[in-house]
Amino acid sequence: MKKVTKATIAAVAAGALLLGGAGTIARWQAQQTIDAGTVETGHLNLTTNGEGSWQDISNPEAPEPFDPATQQLVPGDVVAFSQTATIDAEGKNIA
């Protein structure tokens, strides 16, 4: 046989083997009702104080107030928003 014929037969055989295994799926399933008990969670509340303020910090040595309602940004500008907040957290692994 020619090399092309052998290669074709090998490719068809490999494809048949791959497709033959694609239809085999093992599925195990069980169902049971259990008592999971009570799940208790903590809480995390964040309360903001005041309105906060924007600053243009493009020049960190001389920050300027920034008003997003009246001023526009250009590429390279850096602004920061600051606001105080109160955190109320309770629960395991919350510090």
Side-chain angles (χ1 to χ4, degrees):
M1 280 197 235
K2 294 184 178 183
K3 289 184 181 181
V4 174
T5 306
K6 289 180 184 179
T8 304
I9 292 171
V12 169
L17 288 173
L18 288 173
L19 290 176
T24 305
I25 297 175
R27 183 172 166 167
W28 294 274
Q29 182 174 332
Q31 188 173 15
Q32 181 179 359
T33 303
I34 61 170
D35 179 18
T38 303
V39 176
E40 295 182 20
T41 62
H43 66 268
L44 175 62
N45 298 318
L46 180 70
T47 307
T48 57
N49 303 325
E51 295 215 0
S53 64
W54 287 95
Q55 282 194 322
D56 182 351
I57 58 171
S58 300
N59 180 3
E61 296 171 3
E64 300 175 6
F66 177 77
D67 184 4
T70 59
Q71 294 175 303
Q72 296 181 348
L73 297 172
V74 295
D77 282 352
V78 180
V79 294
F81 181 75
S82 299
Q83 184 171 25
T84 58
T86 303
I87 299 173
D88 176 26
E90 181 181 313
K92 183 179 178 184
N93 299 325
I94 294 180

